[in-house]
């Protein structure tokens, strides 16, 4: 069998029509296409002998690429990194909450620098605040769907169906959508439901999105690249044009994003509609039509699917995670904390200690006490997630924590911190006219972050209970 012909790179020459610049780091020639009569691509044109007179500089908007110095003004007008006009639904800090500078201490000592006495005082405050909590997570009525569904997506979908939120004429808003897989499965479950919209909110560009594969006539997918902090739902064209009830969904919505999403749904969407004194669609129809026309409309109700009562937010289903990434400014449960005699400083420590529940500490208390404490371990307490949603080990591990607590005690304290923060969200939703609930939605073996927050408008939930 004849040996294959050597490739251009193997012979030390660039491929035909490709850039002649040798990239030493990659040990190959650049593969960019060159213009007719040129040896180098635009990025490496400075290396060409005939172009030595023209200087290339780093783009001031994005130093990852270069530009000819004499064409800088022209480039800045079309650079992809330039600041683009803000859409109508962008309102600066609309969901951020009020920032009270007086409540936030200027300097907070890291947990690793606290004395045992100070830490014991914090734990006593936590346990005292947790005494009044009803642990709904241990309620045998909750988490039934978790035994039927082994995967997170299926379990979340099962809870959405259990709350009777799957149906026609509604808009599903997925916060922190990523690739959009949760909306993908919701769309499959809806089958041929009419007039269903999906709005996928994600602040960064995402590769391998699945929402682009949907071409069904009855479902419309729209992706918004925006931070939830600045999102005004009422300004989105489809929601301002059509009175569709919104269902807020999210899978592993990290820390502060959960609070921003709740405020976006409850205050920005719900409160704004109430302030405009918008009547339900059925009521407006009744005022404008005669009894005969109403009867005719009622007979055709199944075809036109006119709702009896329109609610701006039909329900909320969010899988929680990363409580250590919460922020006092954006937290929706401030009033709950204040009622317990707690403030910004205690919140700061509790949200940091919440990572003890999921950080996978395996060192014993003796080993932990033998290792010197490090202040730097507190500087980057981030707990990113793998593709399947499982938490990675954060910087704050057992070695940097006081040794008088064993692993199980730390995990228990971490779970108490999570529950306390979530209870503040429950109280917030109750004050806003919702019936919220916490429940386990999957097995800890699938994900350690296995708590689901659901909420229905009080009228809707009471109607279901009566039925």
């Amino acid at each position: 069998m004849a040996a294959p012909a050597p490739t251009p790179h193997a012979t030390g020459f660039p491929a035909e029509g490709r850039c002649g610049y040798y990239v030493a780091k990659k040990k190959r020639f650049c593969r960019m296409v060159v213009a007719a009569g040129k040896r180098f691509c635009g990025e490496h044109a400075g290396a060409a002998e005939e172009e030595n007179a023209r200087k290339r500089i780093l783009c001031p908007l994005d130093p990852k690429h270069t530009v000819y110095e004499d064409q800088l003004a022209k480039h800045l007008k079309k650079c992809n990194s330039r600041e683009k006009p803000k859409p109508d639904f962008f309102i600066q800090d609309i969901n951020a909450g009020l920032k009270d500078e007086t409540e936030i201490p200027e300097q907070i000592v890291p947990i690793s620098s606290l004395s045992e006495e100070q830490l014991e005082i914090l734990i006593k405050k936590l346990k005292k605040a947790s005494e009044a909590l009803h642990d709904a997570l241990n309620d045998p009525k909750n988490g039934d769907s978790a035994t039927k569904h082994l995967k997170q997506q299926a379990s979340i979908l099962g809870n959405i169906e259990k709350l009777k939120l799957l149906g026609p004429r509604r808009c599903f808003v997925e916060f922190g959508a990523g690739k959009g897989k949760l909306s993908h499965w919701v769309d499959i479950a809806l089958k041929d439901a009419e007039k269903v919209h999906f709005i996928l909110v994600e602040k960064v560009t995402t590769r391998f999105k699945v929402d682009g594969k949907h071409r069904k006539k009855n479902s419309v997918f729209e992706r918004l690249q925006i931070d939830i902090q600045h999102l005004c739902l009422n300004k989105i064209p489809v929601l301002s044009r059509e009175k569709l009830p919104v269902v807020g969904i999210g899978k592993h919505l990290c820390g502060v994003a959960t609070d921003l999403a709740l405020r976006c749904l409850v205050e920005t969407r719900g409160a704004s509609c109430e302030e405009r004194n918008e009547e339900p669609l059925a009521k407006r129809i009744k005022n404008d039509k005669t009894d005969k026309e109403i009867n005719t409309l009622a007979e055709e109700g199944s075809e036109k699917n006119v709702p009896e009562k329109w609610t701006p937010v039909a329900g909320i289903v969010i899988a929680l995670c990363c409580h250590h990434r919460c922020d006092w400014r954006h937290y929706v449960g401030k009033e709950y904390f204040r009622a317990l005699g707690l403030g910004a400083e205690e919140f700061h420590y509790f949200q940091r200690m919440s990572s003890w529940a999921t950080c996978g500490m395996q060192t014993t208390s003796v080993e932990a006490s033998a290792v010197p404490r490090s202040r730097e371990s507190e500087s980057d307490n981030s707990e990113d997630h793998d593709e399947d949603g499982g938490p990675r080990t954060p910087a704050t591990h057992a070695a940097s924590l006081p040794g008088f607590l064993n692993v199980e005690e730390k995990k228990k304290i971490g779970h108490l911190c999570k529950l306390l923060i979530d209870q503040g969200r429950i109280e917030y939703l109750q004050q806003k006219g919702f019936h919220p609930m916490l429940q386990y939605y999957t097995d800890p073996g699938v994900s350690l972050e296995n708590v689901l927050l659901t909420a229905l408008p009080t009228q809707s939930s009471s109607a279901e209970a009566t039925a």
Side-chain angles (χ1 to χ4, degrees):
M1 186 174 179
T7 61
H9 290 171
T11 58
F13 298 99
E16 186 179 354
R18 303 290 173 168
C19 178
Y21 183 83
Y22 185 78
V23 185
K25 184 178 180 181
K26 298 183 178 179
K27 298 181 180 179
R28 62 169 175 79
F29 286 95
C30 173
R31 295 171 183 168
M32 295 290 288
V33 178
V34 297
K38 302 288 185 181
R39 269 185 64 199
F40 298 92
C41 67
E43 189 66 23
H44 302 122
E49 295 177 358
E50 66 270 19
E51 306 225 19
N52 274 340
R54 302 181 69 187
K55 182 182 178 182
R56 290 189 73 87
I57 60 174
L58 295 176
C59 173
L61 299 178
D62 183 5
K64 293 180 181 178
H65 64 272
T66 60
V67 60
Y68 284 118
E69 190 174 23
D70 56 0
Q71 291 185 343
L72 178 60
K74 181 180 178 181
H75 171 78
L76 292 177
K77 294 179 181 178
K78 59 181 181 180
C79 179
N80 289 332
S81 299
R82 72 189 186 280
E83 186 176 355
K84 299 175 180 64
K86 296 291 188 295
D88 291 338
F89 49 80
F90 180 97
I91 300 179
Q92 186 73 30
D93 292 335
I94 187 171
N95 302 314
L98 299 176
K99 185 176 182 179
D100 192 346
E101 297 286 355
T102 59
E103 289 192 14
I104 303 175
E106 294 182 1
Q107 291 184 345
I108 299 181
V109 180
I111 295 179
S112 57
S113 300
L114 292 178
S115 64
E116 291 189 6
E117 184 180 355
Q118 290 174 314
L119 193 59
E120 284 177 350
I121 293 172
L122 269 177
I123 293 172
K124 285 180 181 178
K125 287 184 178 181
L126 173 66
K127 291 182 176 179
K128 183 179 179 181
S130 303
E131 287 176 358
L133 292 181
H134 169 64
D135 193 352
L137 294 174
N138 294 325
D139 192 332
K141 296 180 181 178
N142 296 332
D144 292 339
S145 60
T147 61
K148 299 177 184 178
H149 307 281
L150 299 179
K151 300 298 181 181
Q152 297 176 70
Q153 303 280 15
S155 183
I156 295 173
L157 189 60
N159 280 282
I160 295 174
E161 185 178 18
K162 182 180 175 182
L163 295 171
K164 300 180 181 178
L165 294 175
L166 290 178
R169 288 188 58 83
R170 60 195 60 205
C171 179
F172 291 87
V173 180
E174 183 179 356
F175 296 95
K179 297 178 182 178
K181 289 186 177 180
L182 182 55
S183 293
H184 166 76
W185 289 112
V186 171
D187 183 53
I188 291 176
L190 286 168
K191 297 180 180 178
D192 296 323
E194 296 181 354
K195 214 166 187 179
V196 177
H197 290 259
F198 289 89
I199 297 176
L200 286 73
V201 182
E202 179 60 61
K203 70 176 181 179
V204 296
T205 305
T206 308
R207 300 178 66 192
F208 310 117
K209 299 181 284 288
V210 298
D211 44 287
K213 300 179 181 178
H214 293 272
R215 296 290 184 268
K216 287 168 42 176
K217 294 182 180 179
N218 297 328
S219 297
V220 179
F221 279 75
E222 182 180 0
R223 182 173 282 267
L224 306 180
Q225 187 174 336
I226 185 175
D227 194 319
I228 306 172
Q229 183 171 335
H230 314 301
L231 175 62
C232 179
L233 290 177
N234 295 322
K235 296 288 185 178
I236 299 175
V238 66
L239 293 179
S240 60
R241 183 175 64 250
E242 303 179 32
K243 301 300 180 238
L244 295 174
V246 168
V247 179
I249 60 176
K251 176 180 174 288
H252 284 193
L253 200 55
C254 285
V256 67
T258 298
D259 297 300
L260 295 174
L262 292 178
R263 193 175 280 113
C264 180
L265 289 165
V266 175
E267 296 186 24
T268 308
R269 176 65 176 164
S272 298
C273 293
E274 291 176 5
E275 288 174 5
R276 291 200 302 265
N277 294 322
E278 293 181 347
E279 296 177 333
L281 181 58
K283 187 175 180 180
R284 293 200 301 271
I285 293 171
K286 186 174 181 180
N287 291 339
D288 297 339
K289 294 183 177 291
T290 62
D291 293 339
K292 184 177 180 180
E293 289 173 316
I294 293 171
N295 294 333
T296 307
L297 184 62
E299 293 174 0
E300 300 174 354
S302 58
E303 298 177 5
K304 295 188 178 180
N305 203 12
V306 178
E308 293 183 1
K309 184 166 185 179
W310 175 76
T311 53
V313 180
I316 300 171
V317 180
I318 295 176
L320 306 171
C321 83
C322 296
H323 294 71
H324 69 276
R325 303 192 73 173
C326 291
D327 186 272
W328 177 254
R329 178 193 174 189
H330 305 301
Y331 181 53
V332 295
K334 291 179 185 175
E335 291 187 14
Y336 174 73
F337 261 64
R338 292 186 186 117
L340 295 173
L342 306 173
E345 186 173 354
E346 288 82 5
F347 179 85
H348 169 81
Y349 287 121
F350 291 162
Q351 55 106 351
R352 289 296 181 94
M353 290 157 61
S354 68
S355 65
W356 295 357
T358 57
C359 66
M361 296 178 295
Q362 296 300 326
T363 3
T364 63
S365 57
V366 178
E367 293 171 333
S369 59
V371 179
R373 299 175 188 174
S374 171
R375 285 173 176 260
E376 295 177 0
S377 63
E378 278 294 315
S379 61
D380 182 21
N381 190 16
S382 62
E383 181 181 328
D384 296 328
H385 280 85
D386 292 321
E387 185 63 31
D388 62 350
R392 297 173 182 169
T393 305
T396 305
H397 49 76
S400 64
L401 299 174
F404 71 93
L405 295 172
N406 60 40
V407 172
E408 290 304 317
E409 287 174 334
K410 289 172 184 173
K411 286 183 179 179
K412 186 176 180 181
I413 291 170
H415 282 295
L416 278 179
C417 292
K418 283 177 174 286
L419 182 60
L420 189 66
I421 292 172
D422 288 338
Q423 187 63 30
R425 292 164 173 167
I426 292 290
E427 295 285 334
Y428 168 80
L429 289 170
Q430 287 176 343
Q431 291 176 5
K432 298 297 181 180
F434 284 81
H435 178 69
M437 184 179 295
L438 293 172
Q439 60 187 36
Y440 291 118
Y441 74 97
T442 191
D443 190 86
V446 178
S447 174
L448 292 175
E449 298 282 14
N450 61 343
V451 176
L452 191 71
L453 171 64
T454 63
L456 293 174
T458 305
Q459 294 178 350
S460 173
S461 57
S462 59
E464 287 182 10
T466 314

